[in-house]
Amino acid sequence: MDRALRGVRIGIIGTGTMGQALLRGLLAQGVPRRALRAADANPRTRRAVSRRFRLPVAADGGAVARGSDLVILAVKPQQCPDVVAPLARHLTRRHLVVTIAAGVTLRWLQSRLPGVPLVRVMPNLPATVGCGFAAIAAGWTATPRHRRLVRALFGAVGTVVELPERQLDAVTAVSGSGPAYVFYLAQIWEEAARALGLPRAVASEAVRRTLEGSVRLLAASGEPAAALIAKVASKGGTTEAALKVLASRRVSASFAQALRAAARRSKQLRL
């Protein structure tokens, strides 16, 4: 367990996909169950999470907040106004509040939780398998210790960087939404493979293993992507023929346009 987390009582409000990913990662890092608290408004989710993690899951977020040092708001953006309002009377300057809701700005939270130290985080779905990427932006009352806590917290489920809040819209477009781009690529790649005559199971396995192996190679090699492309694409070969089609269809420009659309939408959704 990271030393920054020792003795810290962590409360998670909202135990959906990301809330459960954090519980799983913290337990795997050695955080004791007695240091973890959770709350969820959905009775079915409470029962399922309680069984899965052998933890009590409360319906009342206020009780969880009172018994915690660090409170994570792991709810959807549209739920934040209804969740934060009743929590406000339980949160003080001794707490640290972390939000992972896209578009919920530090300014909006600070206006509802005056004086409470805040950190905003943009994680992504691969945190559920311990390979996430999270960007954090600290509020003006957050101390270096608070930032270390949040880095340790999300370091339990992946990689963490710290950025100014104004850059979180770009992070949302690149890594927050990013897994969907990979899944979309896998989907259309498998469809194209089947159109070439491969059986469904073979097409799926070929695409998934190629994606997995290529990402591992990219991470392990330390080389830029362009250098690895050159290693695969021999002059006049099959890969070069495929890449020429992608270039002629302006795939690079379309992808850049897609990211700009996601970043623009992130700005529009801000509270």
Side-chain angles (χ1 to χ4, degrees):
M1 179 174 57
D2 191 299
R3 286 187 298 176
L5 295 174
R6 289 178 183 169
V8 178
R9 299 172 299 171
I10 301 169
I12 300 178
I13 311 295
T15 55
T17 300
M18 287 306 304
Q20 290 183 48
L22 288 169
L23 284 172
R24 189 178 300 110
L26 290 167
L27 289 168
Q29 289 291 316
V31 174
R33 281 181 171 79
R34 66 179 180 275
L36 298 174
R37 291 150 179 78
D40 199 285
N42 188 307
R44 183 178 298 178
T45 302
R46 290 199 299 271
R47 290 192 294 270
V49 172
S50 182
R51 286 195 302 270
R52 186 170 299 138
F53 295 99
R54 292 185 286 122
L55 285 168
V57 182
D60 178 15
V64 168
R66 286 194 303 274
S68 302
D69 305 304
L70 188 160
V71 177
I72 303 164
L73 302 179
V75 297
K76 292 179 170 58
Q78 61 269 27
Q79 296 173 318
C80 270
D82 292 335
V83 170
V84 171
L87 282 181
R89 65 179 180 274
H90 303 290
L91 296 169
T92 69
R93 286 173 172 79
R94 75 167 183 82
H95 290 93
L96 169 62
V97 172
V98 176
T99 173
I100 65 171
V104 178
T105 63
L106 292 170
R107 180 178 180 179
W108 183 90
L109 271 176
Q110 199 73 74
S111 69
R112 286 150 180 82
L113 303 173
V116 178
L118 303 171
V119 176
R120 183 180 165 195
V121 182
M122 174 44 62
N124 67 0
L125 188 61
T128 60
V129 291
C131 295
F133 179 88
I136 71 172
W140 68 274
T141 57
T143 66
R145 176 179 174 272
H146 291 142
R147 296 199 296 273
R148 285 194 300 272
L149 272 175
V150 179
R151 293 180 73 94
L153 178 68
F154 285 87
V157 291
T159 299
V160 184
V161 299
E162 187 167 354
L163 294 170
E165 186 182 20
R166 65 179 180 275
Q167 294 183 346
L168 291 193
D169 292 317
V171 171
T172 300
V174 173
S175 61
S177 299
Y181 313 149
V182 177
F183 305 148
Y184 176 71
L185 173 61
Q187 178 186 353
I188 61 175
W189 195 347
E190 288 180 23
E191 290 170 354
R194 293 201 300 273
L196 289 174
L198 289 179
R200 180 182 295 271
V202 173
S204 177
E205 184 71 6
V207 168
R208 293 176 190 224
R209 292 295 290 174
T210 301
L211 277 170
E212 179 186 7
S214 300
V215 170
R216 290 176 65 180
L217 178 59
L218 179 62
S221 70
E223 296 184 79
L228 294 174
I229 290 172
K231 288 184 177 182
V232 183
S234 303
K235 184 71 174 176
T238 60
T239 308
E240 184 183 67
L243 292 175
K244 282 182 176 179
V245 173
L246 296 177
S248 71
R249 298 297 190 271
R250 295 178 55 81
V251 171
S252 176
S254 295
F255 193 73
Q257 186 178 0
L259 263 64
R260 287 195 296 271
R264 186 166 57 249
R265 184 57 177 156
S266 179
K267 288 183 175 70
Q268 292 169 350
L269 292 173
R270 289 178 186 169
L271 289 178

